Amino acid sequence: MPTATLVARDWAEIQERMLVPLYEAVYDRLEIGPGDRLLDLGCGAGLPLLLAAGRGAVATGVEADPARRALARERLLEVLAAPPAPSAASRPYDALLAFSPAPAALARALPTVRRGGAVVLADWGPAERCTVPAVLGGGPAPRDLDALVERAGLRPDGSGRVFCPFGYADVDSAVRGLLSTGLFDGAADPALAEKELAEALHPFERSDGAVWLPNIFRYVIARVV
């Protein structure tokens, strides 16, 4: 099985770009631009931070995985191992972004966001519209984002759905990319899981060998009160 470093590189080189439509849709919706300060929980190798910086924002990431965090720092990004503590010496964040957030991490990060600041939570969309979890059996059911907003004491402020197809050059790169997501980490026999995943991908191969997996992601926007 690949090492943690190789898995992180597969994420950075193959997989993380699949979520660019989601990041761009959220940044457009929030009108992210110069002067905005963002905190991204689970920023991976830092692509969402780079996209925000390209719009003029100041973006900080939080990534628990040391290998992904190291890759993000190679890109000269500010990435922390855990959400920062609120500080009177620093300006609060204008927006907090989180994909499939852990409630504890979300609760720790919320005090760093200014009143009225945006909190964006995202996860897989309806099962019938998502190839990866529905057909390939990857990971748990998506979180109830609206319930998470309510439990966090946030004010709902809209939602949206984004088409994020996962496209790969071939089955091998698809397997590597999907395994880098961590969705299949719970397999009792990793080697067997990798083989079964490759077999499950064959119906999604195109005539040129490319693999195409359509997915819908949902996000909700809430405000700190």
Side-chain angles (χ1 to χ4, degrees):
M1 294 300 292
T3 65
T5 299
L6 289 177
V7 170
R9 289 206 173 273
D10 283 342
W11 170 263
E13 296 172 3
I14 299 174
Q15 190 62 34
E16 69 176 345
R17 67 177 181 270
M18 308 299 177
L19 296 178
V20 166
L22 174 62
Y23 302 140
E24 296 286 17
V26 168
Y27 292 163
D28 286 346
R29 182 81 173 259
L30 296 181
E31 298 182 338
I32 294 299
D36 289 326
R37 296 187 74 238
L38 278 74
L39 181 66
D40 185 354
L41 297 183
C43 69
L47 182 57
L49 307 183
L50 291 173
L51 295 173
R55 293 169 175 252
V58 177
T60 299
V62 177
E63 177 54 55
D65 180 69
R68 294 190 190 190
R69 192 165 63 243
L71 290 177
R73 288 174 175 170
E74 286 180 11
R75 292 169 163 174
L76 304 180
L77 299 168
E78 182 184 7
V79 180
L80 311 174
S87 171
S90 60
R91 184 183 130 201
Y93 292 102
D94 300 297
L96 171 67
L97 312 177
F99 179 81
S100 192
L106 179 62
R108 181 172 175 179
L110 283 177
T112 68
V113 184
R114 66 172 175 83
R115 178 176 292 184
V119 177
V120 183
L121 309 179
D123 211 324
W124 298 96
E128 66 275 11
R129 304 289 300 279
C130 294
T131 305
V132 173
V135 178
L136 303 182
R143 297 180 186 275
D144 185 337
L145 300 178
D146 300 295
L148 193 57
V149 165
E150 182 178 359
R151 288 197 298 270
L154 302 169
R155 174 173 59 84
D157 191 30
S159 64
R161 293 182 179 182
V162 183
F163 181 54
C164 291
F166 290 6
Y168 307 92
D170 50 40
V171 169
D172 177 67
S173 61
V175 169
R176 289 167 54 203
L178 290 168
L179 290 178
S180 76
T181 66
L183 292 172
F184 303 90
D185 285 354
D189 186 338
L192 179 60
E194 184 174 340
K195 179 181 178 182
E196 291 178 344
L197 177 58
E199 292 174 351
L201 288 169
H202 286 304
F204 301 95
E205 280 187 90
R206 295 186 166 185
S207 58
D208 60 357
V211 176
W212 185 255
L213 305 173
N215 299 288
I216 294 288
F217 286 83
R218 180 173 184 258
Y219 68 87
V220 299
I221 299 173
R223 299 284 173 176
V224 176
V225 296

